[in-house]
Amino acid sequence: MEPLSCKNCCHNPLQISGIGTSFGYCIRHRAALPASHLTTCGQLLRKDVLRARAQSERQIHQGRYSSTEVRLLADPTAEAATEGLVEKLNGLSETDPVVEEIANYGALDSKIASIAALRSSRSARAQVAMLSLGRGYVRNCADRGGPWTAGLHILWWTLRRLDDEPSLEASDLLGPITTSITEFAQVAKWRLMALRIAMICDIADQAAEEGDDLAALALTARQAIIETDAGDPHSLLTWLHTHITEFSNALPQARYDELRDQLHRSKDNL
């Protein structure tokens, strides 16, 4: 996978390496991407790195690629639409609930409501979509000066599912498959679990910058990746099962309820 392509961007919630639809969809440009590994734009927000590096690389990327148009990755001056690499969905979303939620992202009362709609599904593709949208949402809120608690619900939902083993169906897998299907599926599971951890790190890192005690959560999340074998979901699951109490203690139910009530009061006073 090309890390600087639309395929690896949080604004394309339909795909990560190993899981997703055969085409991507950009929520920023409202466009289907039939060859997302060949396109990019200046709004790139990488899925495979944490927030600080993703932000610094986006700033570099904006110096080469337009933020208002999808471009060819190989040629920053070439418009993807001219090459037939940007399309409309043309009704495809009507037969797929995940694609439909993505196509309608932001059309509900709030973008959090759209993310919550994806949370209700346990499918691997829905989880990829929720986490991708969540990371983009949190980053956008931070860019506008919002507090880390803008991502409170997303963090809570992610923590509640952190040590669940992803369940993959044949329709979840996104090729090309260059190994055995079993091995390919295992790596895909690991990537989804790593995306959960990246979501936690993004929010906890911002909270730490604001002086919140969630700094400890960011450290624990990083240890999950450092102390386990990359690409091995069983190694990561075992570690998470062993340390799940540390994650729970970092944001206990009582504090979540308190912060949630504060958010509701803030909205009521607007």
Side-chain angles (χ1 to χ4, degrees):
M1 178 186 66
E2 172 52 62
L4 301 181
S5 72
C6 296
K7 188 173 183 179
N8 191 40
C9 180
C10 289
H11 303 313
N12 167 22
L14 291 183
Q15 300 173 313
I16 57 172
S17 180
I19 300 175
T21 51
S22 58
F23 60 91
Y25 183 82
C26 178
I27 61 168
R28 290 299 181 91
H29 296 291
R30 293 291 176 187
L33 306 168
S36 60
H37 62 293
L38 298 179
T39 57
T40 194
C41 86
Q43 298 188 58
L44 174 76
L45 188 64
R46 287 179 59 174
K47 290 189 179 94
D48 63 330
V49 295
L50 300 183
R51 63 188 289 269
R53 183 175 171 187
Q55 178 69 4
S56 64
E57 292 205 6
R58 180 167 65 177
Q59 292 173 350
I60 296 172
H61 209 60
Q62 286 173 337
R64 296 192 64 205
Y65 296 92
S66 168
S67 293
T68 58
E69 295 176 337
V70 183
R71 296 292 177 92
L72 292 188
L73 181 60
D75 183 358
T77 66
E79 298 180 16
T82 303
E83 302 296 326
L85 297 180
V86 171
E87 300 181 18
K88 299 294 184 182
L89 278 175
N90 294 327
L92 286 176
S93 65
E94 298 173 2
T95 61
D96 188 300
V98 175
V99 178
E100 185 172 21
E101 289 294 346
I102 297 306
N104 295 322
Y105 180 61
L108 298 177
D109 292 340
S110 69
K111 290 182 177 178
I112 282 289
S114 294
I115 296 172
L118 289 163
R119 177 184 70 97
S120 63
S121 172
R122 301 192 73 82
S123 80
R125 289 197 297 117
Q127 290 183 57
V128 167
M130 190 207 84
L131 293 164
S132 298
L133 288 177
R135 295 190 72 190
Y137 175 84
V138 168
R139 180 68 262 161
N140 190 49
C141 290
D143 288 345
R144 294 181 178 182
W148 76 264
T149 50
L152 174 67
H153 300 310
I154 302 170
L155 175 61
W156 181 255
W157 300 331
T158 305
L159 287 171
R160 300 282 72 74
R161 190 174 283 181
L162 182 59
D163 62 341
D164 287 353
E165 181 174 0
S167 177
L168 293 181
E169 299 181 2
S171 58
D172 292 324
L173 297 179
L174 173 63
I177 298 176
T178 56
T179 63
S180 71
I181 295 176
T182 298
E183 182 179 351
F184 185 86
Q186 291 303 302
V187 174
K189 285 183 179 183
W190 180 87
R191 290 190 184 280
L192 173 50
M193 294 170 64
L195 193 59
R196 293 172 183 165
I197 291 171
M199 180 79 263
I200 292 169
C201 285
D202 283 358
I203 298 175
D205 283 344
Q206 184 184 348
E209 291 171 6
E210 296 173 21
D212 193 274
D213 290 342
L214 277 181
L217 180 58
L219 178 60
T220 303
R222 282 174 167 80
Q223 288 176 327
I225 297 297
I226 294 171
E227 297 179 7
T228 58
D229 299 327
D232 182 353
H234 299 299
S235 171
L236 184 52
L237 273 171
T238 299
W239 195 97
L240 290 172
H241 286 322
T242 302
H243 295 81
I244 198 63
T245 302
E246 296 173 39
F247 288 95
S248 300
N249 290 343
L251 185 63
Q253 179 80 48
R255 185 163 192 235
Y256 169 71
D257 291 342
E258 178 186 358
L259 292 171
R260 180 195 59 197
D261 291 345
Q262 289 176 8
L263 284 174
H264 288 168
R265 287 195 295 270
S266 297
K267 291 178 181 178
D268 291 341
N269 292 330
L270 290 178

